[in-house]
Amino acid sequence: MLFVFPGFIHAVSIAQNGTLAQTSAPNSATSWMNIKDSHGVNVSSYTFVTDRGGVLNPGNMLLWGLLIIVFVPWLTLVTAGLWLPDQTLDFRWMNLFSAPLRGMATNVTAQIATPLMAATAVAIGAFFVGYFIVRGYHAKAAWQVIMMVIVAIGGTVFLADPLSEALSDHGLLVQGRDLGLSVAAGLNGNSNPNPNQLLPTLQTSMADNFARLPLQVWNFGHVVDKNPSCRAMWTAGMMAGDEDRVKNGLKSCGDGAAYAASQNPSIGQIGAGLLLLLCAIILLAFAAYLSIKIMWAVLDLVYYGFMTIFGFAAGGYIYGPTQTFTVRCVVHGFMSAGKMAFFVIFLGFYELFLGSLFRSAGDQVMVVFVIGAGVEVIAIVQLRRISRNFDEANDWVVNRIGAAIQSGVAGQGAGAGAGSPLGMGLGMGNSGAANSMTPLAMIGALSTLNSSPVTAWLAGGRLNPLNPFSRVDQIDKRNKARSLKTRDLREAAHGNLYDRVSAADVARSGIARSRSRRGSERAAAFAAENVAHVTGMMGGVQSSLRMAGFGWMRGQQATIARADIIRHADDEPLASKHLGRVLAAHKHFERDYLNPEWARPRLYGLEASVARYRGDYPGGVRISDDLRALGQEYIDNPTKQWVQALQAHVDGPITDAAAPRLRMNGADLSQVDADRLRSWIANEHALRVQAATRWVSEDPTDFERIRVLRSEIDKAAQTDQWQAQRHTTGVVSLPQPNPAQPLQPIPANLLDQFRNVRGR
């Protein structure tokens, strides 16, 4: 009796109160939001009606637990998503600070808008009027007088109660909200909308569409509100928080499918709940974003209202940036009201449009709900884009007005006479610049943050802490004995730095070899050739040129020209590597010599290759006049038999009587003379190629000179092939000149000039 009787008495008392059934209290975390649907049910009182199972039915108990885990965050997110727009558009939150702000604005006005301040500002403005009249700018003087009169009249009205239009119940913001609601209702078929009734209607419509109907479809598989008696039973059960009352009501109203669903939870309900939870997150994001935009418009109007006090008190009378700033504040105030109206139109149109979809969807509410989530994602993107367009239009209007005031001509284009090289009026600052970051700019900012030394210090001395495997590069300061791996990594990093510095010095040496102005195209070509020659790689040429002081475009052209030469020179099977590069460089130059973009880079790349090729020879082999005459005969008309005979003399005495021979002064050529003659011929080819290149550089568009250079390069390539006992192919030869068009001789002064230069 001690244990059973008290429990029996308690059960009887509960039964007498009718609360022995399963009940649920409203969600205390969201009940204060007081969001109600069209039937007066508080959304925080909603519950998921199903069989909770028990010890004898663990399957239903497990499913009920999983459903509640999904239901609770869904209800919280949906309630918050419905509350934010309602509270934002109701403007009740403004009552918290409207009175203090209006009092502060009045005090600021009393301190600033004094007769002495106004007289001083008017005197300064009158000075500009007199200055313009003296300089003959009568139109600008007239505009300055007009602006001073407008500021004086407008200031008298505005300074009486500065923020009344912003924070009063009939101000610009409220008018913008009412206009937006009326337009949105009109777009949805309401021909006589009442703004005072539209806001509660909009809130209850959103509660039905985003909470009541989706919950019924999730819980029972269809909308129970289509049956009036079932609608009344569900509403009464939710208001009472009694699940059994909902079940019995559905059974009594004849909706057997809904009653069966409430008695048998399923895994499909969990999947539907997860889908609704995702849609609720999107709804909350949409509501939060739109609410922030509306509140931002309100606070913008308050801010520019305060700034307008300074403009009407003094700044608007003074010509220049302060006058433009006053215009900007006034325009921003009206634009904020316009943005408010547009945001409300945007919200109302979307919500009322979705409401129409829900009403016509029938039992397909889930499909409309998912589509609505996608529409809200699109709406966020569109709203962000249109908000940016509003800001750009705002700055455009201010700039047009400011430019017209400063130019003295009504309708004058932006920037005309404004005194700004960027086409902006005085006082506009960088308002024409893009203030939002693109995804690529965000990635760049993240990269900058990653490479910052401050980030490295905050990361405990780790360089580039956001990089993968950045921990490998970190030096363990707690371990005094450094590991071999860490030391090798540091030495490799330092070696890479030294290689870059060294390559830049090599590029500067190439500039000195060019004997051209630092930063010129010719200097860039010689610097690129020098880096590629010394390092043997093309990977660091561009960075070396940048470190040596060349601009990006000039260094890029020189690098591309050098890379083309090296890539095609690999196809030239010549014994002399540098002659192969000369041959490749000439092919590129002859192809692009009339191209205005690439003619000069190709020419300078050819000159650099020729200079390197000429540097392979000593440049001063002394031979007798008879031996020179013999070599000159070959230079003028090279043949393979002549080269083979010369090589036979170089190899030793010729014993075969039938073998070809070279004779000088009636005797066979000696081995020493043959070897010296072979060196002279190789040097003479390089000399003539260099002289012909200099001749072409004097007039790169003269094709006759290019033909002469082509002939000299081809002769040198033929000699190289014959001496190496290789076959001459189309790859290693250039087209022979047409015999019907004889070549011009290389000027003798150029030949003598290079013949007297020794070494490099």
Side-chain angles (χ1 to χ4, degrees):
M1 291 295 292
L2 290 176
F3 290 98
V4 175
F5 184 73
F8 176 77
I9 296 298
H10 179 65
V12 170
S13 64
I14 293 177
Q16 289 177 349
N17 292 329
T19 58
L20 186 60
Q22 295 176 355
T23 60
S24 60
N27 190 338
S28 60
T30 57
S31 59
W32 60 271
M33 296 182 183
N34 198 28
I35 300 298
K36 296 182 178 181
D37 58 22
S38 59
H39 299 279
V41 182
N42 197 316
V43 174
S44 62
S45 299
Y46 286 175
T47 184
F48 195 89
V49 180
T50 188
D51 182 27
R52 299 188 179 185
V55 178
L56 301 179
N57 192 357
N60 283 2
M61 185 174 65
L62 178 61
L63 290 175
W64 173 78
L66 294 176
L67 286 170
I68 291 302
I69 291 175
V70 178
F71 174 77
V72 171
W74 172 81
L75 184 62
T76 304
L77 292 175
V78 168
T79 307
L82 297 174
W83 176 79
L84 277 174
D86 176 65
Q87 287 295 100
T88 303
L89 293 178
D90 193 34
F91 287 165
R92 283 177 293 186
W93 54 275
M94 288 178 55
N95 297 331
L96 298 175
F97 53 82
S98 60
L101 285 177
R102 294 181 68 174
M104 186 185 303
T106 302
N107 294 334
V108 171
T109 303
Q111 296 295 326
I112 295 178
T114 61
L116 180 60
M117 177 69 74
T120 304
V122 170
I124 297 175
F127 166 77
F128 284 103
V129 174
Y131 174 78
F132 292 146
I133 293 175
V134 171
R135 294 295 303 271
Y137 301 146
H138 302 290
K140 296 182 73 172
W143 266 104
Q144 176 64 9
V145 173
I146 293 172
M147 282 300 302
M148 293 174 66
V149 172
I150 292 175
V151 171
I153 297 174
T156 304
V157 178
F158 177 81
L159 295 176
D161 192 356
L163 296 183
S164 61
E165 286 298 323
L167 300 177
S168 66
D169 55 359
H170 60 276
L172 293 176
L173 293 176
V174 177
Q175 293 179 12
R177 182 202 64 183
D178 294 344
L179 174 63
L181 290 173
S182 301
V183 172
L187 291 174
N188 284 273
N190 190 346
S191 59
N192 190 20
N194 185 354
N196 295 326
Q197 297 177 356
L198 282 175
L199 189 58
T201 303
L202 180 63
Q203 184 263 310
T204 57
S205 175
M206 291 175 61
D208 285 345
N209 296 333
F210 291 98
R212 183 183 178 101
L213 299 183
L215 176 59
Q216 291 180 0
V217 175
W218 178 16
N219 201 159
F220 310 115
H222 62 276
V223 178
V224 299
D225 281 355
K226 292 189 297 182
N227 188 327
S229 60
C230 293
R231 178 173 63 240
M233 292 297 179
W234 190 88
T235 301
M238 289 297 160
M239 284 184 174
D242 190 341
E243 294 185 23
D244 285 343
R245 186 173 180 178
V246 174
K247 295 178 184 178
N248 296 331
L250 293 176
K251 184 178 180 180
S252 63
C253 72
D255 196 340
Y259 178 75
S262 65
Q263 291 293 101
N264 300 286
S266 64
I267 297 178
Q269 290 178 329
I270 299 176
L274 292 175
L275 181 61
L276 287 178
L277 180 60
L278 176 61
C279 296
I281 294 174
I282 298 175
L283 169 64
L284 180 60
F286 172 73
Y289 185 77
L290 185 62
S291 301
I292 290 173
K293 283 294 183 182
I294 294 175
M295 295 178 67
W296 201 319
V298 173
L299 298 178
D300 268 351
L301 182 57
V302 173
Y303 168 76
Y304 285 108
F306 268 100
M307 294 298 102
T308 307
I309 296 175
F310 297 93
F312 280 122
Y317 297 102
I318 303 174
Y319 173 83
T322 57
Q323 201 170 70
T324 303
F325 180 73
T326 304
V327 174
R328 186 176 187 178
C329 292
V330 174
V331 173
H332 271 271
F334 286 100
M335 280 290 185
S336 297
K339 289 173 69 174
M340 167 67 68
F342 175 79
F343 292 151
V344 176
I345 292 173
F346 197 89
L347 172 64
F349 176 76
Y350 269 93
E351 299 303 337
L352 295 176
F353 171 71
L354 290 175
S356 301
L357 289 180
F358 277 111
R359 285 192 297 272
S360 61
D363 290 337
Q364 304 298 321
V365 174
M366 193 69 70
V367 177
V368 178
F369 199 76
V370 175
I371 294 176
V375 170
E376 287 167 356
V377 173
I378 298 174
I380 293 174
V381 177
Q382 291 176 338
L383 191 63
R384 181 175 181 270
R385 185 178 303 167
I386 296 175
S387 177
R388 189 188 309 122
N389 292 340
F390 258 104
D391 295 335
E392 293 174 355
N394 197 355
D395 292 331
W396 182 84
V397 171
V398 177
N399 184 49
R400 296 282 293 185
I401 297 175
I405 294 173
Q406 294 156 19
S407 64
V409 181
Q412 185 75 27
S420 173
L422 299 177
M424 306 299 294
L426 291 176
M428 288 299 295
N430 63 345
S431 61
N435 295 321
S436 61
M437 295 182 66
T438 62
L440 187 61
M442 293 181 182
I443 294 175
L446 185 63
S447 177
T448 303
L449 181 65
N450 184 36
S451 60
S452 171
V454 178
T455 307
W457 278 105
L458 294 176
R462 187 190 309 173
L463 299 178
N464 302 321
L466 301 182
N467 288 359
F469 306 108
S470 61
R471 188 178 297 274
V472 177
D473 298 328
Q474 184 184 15
I475 301 174
D476 189 4
K477 297 182 179 180
R478 293 171 298 179
N479 187 0
K480 299 300 182 180
R482 298 175 180 174
S483 65
L484 179 62
K485 187 174 184 179
T486 303
R487 184 167 62 252
D488 290 344
L489 286 172
R490 292 192 64 192
E491 291 177 357
H494 293 166
N496 187 28
L497 177 62
Y498 296 150
D499 289 343
R500 290 177 178 271
V501 175
S502 176
D505 292 337
V506 172
R508 296 185 184 95
S509 300
I511 297 174
R513 289 183 61 245
S514 69
R515 299 181 181 179
S516 302
R517 179 179 56 84
R518 180 180 293 272
S520 63
E521 290 179 281
R522 190 170 189 271
F526 275 75
E529 192 280 334
N530 209 41
V531 174
H533 171 72
V534 174
T535 63
M537 297 181 295
M538 285 296 303
V541 173
Q542 174 72 3
S543 60
S544 302
L545 296 184
R546 291 283 290 168
M547 293 177 66
F550 291 98
W552 184 88
M553 180 60 68
R554 187 148 294 175
Q556 182 77 354
Q557 284 187 329
T559 303
I560 292 175
R562 177 52 45 187
D564 290 341
I565 292 172
I566 294 177
R567 183 172 63 254
H568 290 87
D570 294 336
D571 298 330
E572 314 289 350
L574 296 172
S576 173
K577 176 179 66 175
H578 297 140
L579 178 57
R581 293 182 178 179
V582 171
L583 187 64
H586 183 272
K587 288 181 179 180
H588 285 288
F589 167 67
E590 188 169 346
R591 182 192 65 192
D592 294 331
Y593 80 100
L594 293 180
N595 186 335
E597 181 181 1
W598 283 100
R600 300 178 71 85
R602 299 295 189 193
L603 174 62
Y604 297 142
L606 173 62
E607 287 185 347
S609 298
V610 169
R612 180 67 61 186
Y613 166 54
R614 179 72 172 93
D616 288 345
Y617 300 96
V621 181
R622 296 183 179 275
I623 57 177
S624 63
D625 294 338
D626 295 335
L627 197 59
R628 181 187 297 273
L630 184 62
Q632 191 64 44
E633 292 178 1
Y634 171 79
I635 293 294
D636 296 335
N637 185 24
T639 62
K640 183 177 181 180
Q641 293 77 11
W642 198 96
V643 170
Q644 290 176 344
L646 178 63
Q647 188 63 39
H649 285 290
V650 172
D651 293 338
I654 301 176
T655 58
D656 187 1
R661 303 167 184 267
L662 297 179
R663 301 179 65 84
M664 184 180 64
N665 297 329
D668 290 347
L669 201 63
S670 66
Q671 186 176 7
V672 175
D673 288 341
D675 186 71
R676 294 180 62 81
L677 180 58
R678 185 178 62 173
S679 299
W680 182 89
I681 290 174
N683 180 76
E684 187 69 8
H685 278 310
L687 183 148
R688 296 179 68 85
V689 168
Q690 189 177 28
T693 303
R694 176 62 62 84
W695 192 34
V696 169
S697 66
E698 294 175 356
D699 186 5
T701 60
D702 187 353
F703 190 69
E704 292 301 319
R705 301 188 183 190
I706 297 176
R707 291 177 65 238
V708 173
L709 175 59
R710 181 206 303 166
S711 175
E712 296 298 334
I713 295 175
D714 188 62
K715 290 178 180 179
Q718 287 179 337
T719 301
D720 182 276
Q721 289 289 294
W722 293 333
Q723 288 180 344
Q725 297 182 359
R726 298 177 181 175
H727 295 288
T728 303
T729 64
V731 176
V732 297
S733 62
L734 296 170
Q736 290 293 329
N738 189 353
Q741 298 178 355
L743 298 173
Q744 300 180 15
I746 302 175
N749 61 329
L750 289 177
L751 291 173
D752 294 337
Q753 174 184 348
F754 289 105
R755 185 168 284 117
N756 293 331
V757 175
R758 297 180 58 87
R760 295 182 184 272

